[in-house]
Amino acid sequence: MAYSVPHLDGEQDPQFGRSDARGWPMWEVFVRQRRGMSHVHAGSLHAPDAETALQHARDVYTRRVEGVSVWVVPSSAIVASDPDEADAFFEAIEKPYRAATYYEIPDEVGQM
Amino acid sequence: MTTTSERTSPAERFQAIIDADEKIEPSDWMPEGYRKTLIRQIAQHAHSEVIGMQPEGNWITRAPTLERKAILIAKVQDEAGHGLYLYSAAETLGVTRDELVELLHTGAQKYSSIFNYPTLTWADIGAIGWLVDGAAITNQVMLTRTSYGPYARAMVRICKEESFHQRQGYEIMLRLCNGTPEQKAMAQDAVNRWWWPALMMFGPHDSESTHTNQSMEWKIKRISNDDLRQQFVDMTVPQAEYLGLTLPDPELRWNPERGHYDFGEIDWDEFWQVVKGHGPMNRDRLEHKIKAWEDGEWVRDAAAAYAEKQQARRAASRTGG
């Protein structure tokens, strides 16, 4: 189901960011699709503790055998790079000699 | 070294990402209007999934066979899952789950009007899967290409599951249409009641839809209301013909010049009445939702208390106390 409800006259934007909002902590869910593959981020959910988070992760993200293994990690434990600093942080673009295609190998040598 | 970030403003970088058809991610800078529009739309979408469990849940205890009952439970569970994916996507924009739940309960945020119609017979479960989920898929396939990454990813996941929803609905209709005259009449009655509300799901005409342009510019929305509605009609008419059912619109006919079906005008008075809260089920749906939330409070509290106790116990055993 999907659809956005049309605006009504006088509709106001709700205020967000109330500090008294309580609730269960958030967890990030990683699912291994098949043996031999990495766990990949599937989404997030709320749960009071790790065991319940695992249970919820199964119910929310693997209802159709999408995986053979699930990890849950507290969202607060994720440390992320700053997207605004991405250019400086991921400097490899300045070092094309790190790429295989930088080197020219004569055709006669064949596939390398 | 000169980097892109030193040369351009955040607003320019945002626009460059949109222009390049790439996705905006939660930690990117975004205009306040973009954030607000997304929170509103994703929250409404999430609320719709959650409220959408009610009309179908209404038939779980009365499904005609054990298999149909198991299927319906799976479908209703999917709707809950879809709500959760979407709430998670909304939360990446800086709102909390509790705030969103409260905004639904106070009526400050709405859900799709389609759920303010009652499910009177078993055929309604078929009609909802076929028509309502069919309309939803049309909308949601477009939204897999929306410009906000977490929303687009939630849509990809949801679309895979909606396909099951629509097919199971159509199969219910097929079974009824191949059944007794009474069963076929029940299927026809359900279509008579759900066809127009399904068309209303796409929203007002483009000419009346004041916020569509901005949403299209931001690539939140990629196809206009009227174009999506036309897509849905063109897709559904042959499916109705196969069932041998009549869609309740005397003006519905193929237009060879346009290469599309022409169809009649929606009753916009009814549309606005239901949006404003005066549909047949608006009050029941919200009351039921609030009751379920309040009845579940002790479970949430108990789970939180248990988690706290376990944590304290672990901390105590670490310090040897």
Side-chain angles (χ1 to χ4, degrees), chain A residues 1-8 11 13 16-18 21-22 26 42 44 46 48 60 63-64 83-84 87, chain B residues 4 40 44-45 49 78 85 88 91 95 97-99 103 112 115 136 140 157 161-162 164 201 211 307:
Chain A
M1 226 335 288
Y3 158 66
S4 74
V5 182
H7 287 72
L8 291 174
E11 178 180 325
D13 287 323
F16 295 109
R18 283 188 357 240
R22 65 193 179 97
M26 195 185 274
S44 54
H46 291 272
V60 178
R63 285 195 303 285
R64 288 180 175 78
D84 287 340
D87 290 342
Chain B
T4 327
R40 183 183 185 275
Q44 282 175 350
H45 198 157
E49 300 283 357
D78 275 354
Y85 307 151
S88 292
E91 284 173 277
V95 293
R97 182 77 56 97
D98 281 8
E99 283 176 303
L103 289 166
S112 175
F115 302 116
Q140 292 179 138
R157 195 173 282 280
E161 297 176 349
E162 291 285 4
F164 143 64
M201 286 172 65
H211 290 74

